[in-house]
């Protein structure tokens, strides 16, 4: 087991490296001088040259790439062009907000998704099942930003019970968490349903029923435990989805998180900040995938990796 | 029946009689799809949207780009069914014209994605070894990116425009298709019919196109149908974040984004294009789900 985790960790290193390379290439092939962009056009050429030298932009691309990797390994992602602060401190300030948002979004999706999926599997092909599955498809299909605006209109403007946007207390988290969690709830409930239906076909379920157990007890004690395997894995994989969704949710609700930083960095053409935000988020996603794989092998000892 | 042939193959050959081969695989699929009410509803809605997109100039009551500042923020009425926006443009007409962009964005990148994914997936699966390792490592990397973030980075580099959305979504999307095609190729390449084709000296490229690809079509069809709503949502999200379609294009995502500033005074500007997105995405999801059930006899029961 420990062997597997180590191997899996080792594999994530080249993947992370490759992602850094892709990000670097994408962000460094932009036509136009970042310094000139940053300073507009009323700056003399020698100042531009001096700043370029200071930012070491005149070195060949591969040297800049390895410098970027070296510095990133030391937690240094450079300095934001626009805000003139170190990228890592900006990211560290924003990260807790994104984390809180993602966790509460995930909680919402589990609280809605798992019971809904169980209900719909138990009452297979009923009206309840059809409506739950319809709703979950609706959840997957709703544009997150639009759902956010709709919530703002209904709960903040019309009913006036929740704050429109900002991040000053728990009540500010309610709408963003529901909006963010809603779409993953759809995925979770569909997965729970199909997984549970699959498990319910097994012989040991028939045995449990034959012993005279209540159907509810059969489902909870015997079926659910095994059915939750793929669901738990997807929960860890959800991190990626939630972080992507967080970009939009943070923009709509004005939450100062990583996603908001990335969007602002694009608007200000702030390359180091965008590069840092992308790398940071992607490393989190890779870690999420790693946790998912490890969890899966821990929960199901039948799975062997070699 | 030819007894000698039977003995040769050591297997009873069932002659195709009328009773057995009543319907082809696709007829069977289509039959069970027709029984699926949600899928049919989805299909109908998609057909309607396609018609709307084609006949937009005839259906739109007003010019979607015509600015008239004295008509700003008209409430929905008999004259302007969905009201007007901050430039006095008719929201309904803009939604009708927007269907062109959304369907285009839904279908074109999905096609490109499919094509790239099929090529890489089949090559990786068929040749295995180093080729497989390289392609799959790259696809792992692409899949590790949160897709919206990767698309945002591509849009940052290329600049915001419709063509660049195609490119961004294609760069993001191919990896998923490649995985599916690779898995399918792996399971097919050791089947007898592929082996015999190889034995009589058929070129690998022909084997891949003639013998392996047709067997991937059911999966690809489902993937394609479910890829389209994903692309539509991604475009809408990118446009909403300001790195997608640019004004004055009437992309639905952009319309929601423009309308959000006036959400509390004129909610119809932001809310109605969102409903259009929701309906078309839902329709594609219903159709895709129905297709998957129809193509997978195991789930059909």
């Amino acid at each position: 087991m420990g062997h597997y985790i180590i191997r899996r960790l080792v594999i994530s290193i080249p993947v992370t490296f490759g992602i850094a390379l892709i990000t670097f290439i994408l962000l460094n092939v932009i036509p136009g001088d970042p310094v000139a962009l940053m300073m507009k056009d009323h700056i003399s050429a020698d100042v531009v040259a001096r700043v370029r030298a200071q930012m070491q932009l005149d070195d060949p691309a591969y040297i800049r790439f390895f410098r970027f990797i070296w510095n990133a390994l030391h937690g240094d992602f450079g300095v934001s062009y626009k805000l003139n602060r170190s990228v890592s401190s900006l990211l560290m300030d924003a990260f807790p907000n994104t984390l809180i948002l993602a966790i509460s979004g995930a909680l919402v999706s589990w609280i809605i998704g798992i019971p809904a999926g169980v209900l719909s599997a138990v009452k297979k092909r009923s009206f309840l099942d059809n409506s739950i599955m319809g709703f979950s498809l609706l959840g997957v299909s709703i544009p997150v930003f639009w759902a956010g605006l709709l919530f703002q209109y209904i709960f903040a403007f019309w009913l006036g019970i929740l704050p429109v946007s900002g991040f000053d207390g728990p009540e500010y988290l309610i709408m963003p968490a529901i909006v963010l969690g809603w779409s993953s709830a759809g995925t979770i409930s569909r997965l729970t349903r199909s997984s549970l239906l699959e498990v319910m076909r097994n012989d040991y379920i028939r045995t449990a029923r034959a012993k005279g157990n209540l159907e509810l007890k059969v489902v909870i004690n015997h079926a659910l435990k095994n059915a939750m395997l793929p669901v738990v894995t997807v929960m860890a994989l959800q991190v990626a989805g939630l972080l992507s969704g967080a970009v939009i949710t943070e923009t709509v609700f004005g939450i100062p998180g990583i996603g908001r930083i990335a969007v602002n960095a694009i608007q200000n053409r702030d390359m180091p900040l965008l590069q840092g935000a992308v790398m940071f988020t992607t490393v989190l996603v890779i870690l999420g995938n790693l946790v998912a794989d490890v969890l899966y092998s821990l929960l199901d000892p039948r799975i062997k990796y070699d | 029946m030819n007894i000698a042939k039977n003995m040769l193959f050591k297997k009873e050959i069932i002659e195709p009689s009328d009773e057995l081969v009543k319907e082809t695989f696709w007829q069977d699929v289509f039959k069970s799809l027709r029984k699926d009410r949600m899928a049919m509803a989805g299909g109908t809605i998609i057909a309607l949207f396609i018609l709307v997109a084609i006949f937009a100039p005839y259906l739109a009551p007003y010019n979607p780009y015509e600015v008239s500042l004295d008509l700003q923020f008209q409430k929905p009425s008999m004259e302007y069914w969905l009201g007007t926006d901050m430039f006095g443009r008719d929201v309904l007409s803009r939604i009708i014209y927007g269907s062109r962009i959304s369907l285009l964005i839904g279908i074109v990148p999905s096609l490109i994605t499919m094509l790239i994914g099929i090529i890489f997936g089949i090559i990786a699966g068929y040749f295995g070894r180093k080729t497989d390792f390289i392609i799959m490592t790259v696809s792992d990397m692409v899949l590790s990116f949160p897709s919206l973030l990767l698309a945002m980075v591509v849009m940052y580099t290329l600049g915001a425009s419709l063509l660049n959305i195609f490119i961004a979504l294609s760069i993001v999307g191919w990896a998923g298709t490649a995985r599916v095609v690779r898995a399918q190729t792996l399971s097919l390449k050791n089947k007898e019919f592929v082996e015999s084709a190889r034995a009589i000296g058929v070129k690998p490229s022909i084997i891949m196109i003639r013998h392996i690809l047709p067997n991937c079509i059911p999966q690809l069809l489902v993937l394609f149908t479910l890829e389209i709503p994903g692309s539509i949502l991604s475009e809408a999200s990118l446009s909403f974040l300001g790195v997608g379609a640019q004004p004055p294009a009437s992309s639905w995502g952009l319309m929601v984004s423009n309308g959000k500033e006036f959400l509390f005074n004129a909610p119809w500007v932001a809310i109605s294009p969102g409903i259009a997105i929701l309906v078309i995405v839902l329709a594609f999801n219903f159709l895709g789900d129905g297709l998957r059930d129809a193509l997978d006899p195991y789930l059909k029961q």
Side-chain angles (χ1 to χ4, degrees):
Chain A
M1 191 59 241
H3 187 72
Y4 169 69
I5 296 177
I6 291 167
R7 239 179 55 106
R8 195 57 191 69
L9 258 173
V10 171
I11 293 173
S12 354
I13 294 171
V15 171
T16 315
F17 187 80
I19 281 166
L21 185 63
I22 295 174
T23 315
F24 186 85
I25 291 171
L26 281 175
L27 290 178
N28 285 272
V29 294
I30 315 166
D33 188 339
V35 178
L37 268 172
M38 184 170 72
M39 298 184 163
K40 307 281 159 20
D41 9 82
H42 48 75
I43 287 292
S44 62
D46 58 305
V47 176
V48 172
R50 210 176 61 223
V51 176
R52 276 188 72 90
Q54 193 190 335
M55 292 165 83
Q56 299 172 308
L57 284 170
D58 291 322
D59 293 334
Y62 70 94
I63 292 189
R64 280 191 287 146
F65 175 65
F66 282 106
R67 193 186 299 129
F68 165 67
I69 293 287
W70 184 251
N71 292 337
L73 285 174
H74 291 84
D76 174 13
F77 289 100
V79 176
S80 154
Y81 288 166
K82 175 85 180 177
L83 303 169
N84 213 8
R85 270 182 64 195
S86 107
V87 170
S88 27
S89 81
L90 284 166
L91 291 178
M92 275 308 147
D93 284 351
F95 178 58
N97 301 335
T98 300
L99 191 68
I100 292 171
L101 178 62
I103 290 176
S104 34
L107 281 176
V108 168
S109 75
W110 301 340
I111 292 169
I112 301 176
I114 296 173
V118 171
L119 263 180
S120 125
V122 172
K123 303 271 175 212
K124 192 175 68 167
R125 305 261 169 236
S126 68
F127 176 72
L128 186 70
D129 177 23
N130 289 337
S131 2
I132 289 178
M133 283 303 108
F135 257 99
S136 73
L137 212 51
L138 195 69
V140 182
S141 306
I142 284 185
V144 176
F145 55 88
W146 182 75
L149 293 180
L150 201 63
F151 268 62
Q152 284 182 333
Y153 188 76
I154 296 172
F155 294 103
F157 178 69
W158 193 26
L159 300 174
I161 46 175
L162 289 169
V164 180
S165 64
F167 205 57
D168 289 325
E171 72 271 23
Y172 286 86
L173 203 60
I174 299 173
M175 283 200 290
I178 294 176
V179 167
L180 185 57
W182 182 255
S183 59
S184 325
T187 320
I188 297 266
S189 68
R190 286 156 73 86
L191 192 69
T192 309
R193 176 182 184 271
S194 63
S195 170
L196 195 59
L197 282 180
E198 186 126 2
V199 168
M200 295 294 275
R201 272 201 283 265
N202 280 323
D203 288 340
Y204 60 82
I205 296 297
R206 197 180 312 139
T207 314
R209 280 192 185 131
K211 285 195 299 188
N213 281 326
L214 283 174
E215 183 68 19
L216 188 72
K217 208 179 157 196
V218 174
V219 170
I220 290 175
N221 285 2
H222 298 266
L224 203 55
K225 228 165 151 187
N226 291 301
M228 287 315 285
L229 255 168
V231 182
V232 170
T233 325
V234 165
M235 285 175 176
L237 290 173
Q238 244 186 338
V239 177
L242 289 173
L243 286 170
S244 280
V247 176
I248 299 168
T249 320
E250 285 171 7
T251 310
V252 173
F253 291 102
I255 297 168
I258 306 270
R260 189 80 185 293
I261 284 192
V263 173
N264 287 341
I266 288 183
Q267 274 156 7
N268 298 325
R269 304 211 62 83
D270 192 339
M271 196 274 282
L273 190 55
L274 181 59
Q275 188 167 256
V278 171
M279 278 312 298
F280 189 80
T281 311
T282 317
V283 168
L284 284 180
V285 172
I286 293 174
L287 282 177
N289 291 352
L290 185 72
V291 171
D293 275 7
V294 171
L295 259 182
Y296 202 69
S297 62
L298 281 178
L299 291 174
D300 192 348
R302 286 172 305 178
I303 296 169
K304 281 229 168 67
Y305 298 86
D306 34 29
Chain B
M1 221 182 248
N2 188 337
I3 293 167
K5 206 165 123 198
N6 257 352
M7 286 176 60
L8 190 67
F9 287 102
K10 293 203 168 96
K11 208 178 189 183
E12 196 183 341
I13 290 175
I14 303 167
E15 288 290 325
S17 70
D18 288 347
E19 213 179 315
L20 273 172
V21 195
K22 231 181 200 160
E23 47 192 27
T24 64
F25 173 68
W26 290 108
Q27 279 170 332
D28 182 40
V29 166
F30 190 65
K31 216 171 88 187
S32 53
L33 193 63
R34 269 185 33 190
K35 274 190 226 141
D36 188 336
R37 263 179 295 161
M38 297 316 271
M40 287 323 281
T44 314
I45 292 171
I46 294 165
L48 276 177
F49 266 88
I50 292 175
L51 287 177
V52 167
I54 294 172
F55 297 108
Y58 305 101
L59 290 169
Y62 297 93
N63 180 344
Y65 304 108
E66 197 180 272
V67 176
S68 47
L69 292 176
D70 46 331
L71 284 173
Q72 264 181 323
F73 299 128
Q74 297 283 316
K75 278 199 174 111
S77 61
M78 285 308 285
E79 210 174 336
Y80 299 97
W81 288 6
L82 296 176
T84 59
D85 67 3
M86 56 284 183
F87 296 122
R89 297 173 299 193
D90 179 41
V91 172
L92 178 64
S93 306
R94 288 182 66 74
I95 292 179
I96 289 175
Y97 271 86
S99 66
R100 293 181 154 186
I101 294 185
S102 284
L103 285 176
L104 210 63
I105 291 281
I107 294 167
V108 176
S110 306
L111 277 176
I112 304 174
T113 293
M114 284 282 133
L115 201 68
I116 303 175
I118 289 170
I119 294 172
F120 281 130
I122 237 174
I123 289 177
Y126 190 79
F127 291 111
R129 295 169 184 268
K130 262 188 197 155
T131 327
D132 183 30
F133 179 76
I134 294 169
I135 293 177
M136 280 304 111
T137 310
V138 176
S139 92
D140 268 350
M141 285 171 193
V142 173
L143 285 174
S144 303
F145 268 110
S147 55
L148 186 65
L149 215 53
L150 180 57
M152 277 165 63
V153 171
V154 176
M155 294 305 288
Y156 171 86
T157 304
L158 299 175
S161 80
L162 203 60
L163 179 73
N164 293 342
I165 299 179
F166 288 167
I167 300 174
L169 294 184
S170 308
I171 291 178
V172 173
W174 66 273
T177 314
R179 300 233 120 212
V180 173
V181 175
R182 172 183 174 267
Q184 189 72 4
T185 310
L186 280 180
S187 76
L188 287 169
K189 77 170 177 187
N190 294 322
K191 288 265 165 71
E192 288 86 349
F193 66 93
V194 176
E195 255 173 36
S196 49
R198 209 179 300 143
I200 59 170
V202 180
K203 274 194 289 184
S205 55
I206 305 285
I207 294 184
M208 286 189 250
I209 295 168
R210 275 257 191 82
H211 301 284
I212 294 180
L213 188 57
N215 285 294
C216 301
I217 286 177
Q219 276 95 333
L220 287 173
L221 198 65
V222 175
L223 217 57
F224 180 61
T225 322
L226 294 176
E227 188 83 41
I228 293 173
S231 294
I232 293 177
L233 278 181
S234 302
E235 182 272 332
S237 306
L238 289 172
S239 297
F240 178 81
L241 294 174
V243 290
Q246 294 301 305
S250 56
S251 145
W252 293 338
L254 190 62
M255 288 173 74
V256 176
S257 173
N258 291 335
K260 73 169 188 274
E261 314 292 331
F262 318 103
L263 182 67
F264 300 147
N265 316 321
W268 56 87
V269 183
I271 300 298
S272 29
I275 296 174
I277 302 174
L278 175 63
V279 170
I280 189 75
V281 169
L282 204 58
F284 272 108
N285 276 336
F286 274 132
L287 182 66
D289 262 23
L291 261 178
R292 178 168 42 206
D293 291 348
L295 287 165
D296 194 344
Y298 180 71
L299 290 170
K300 220 193 309 184
Q301 293 182 350

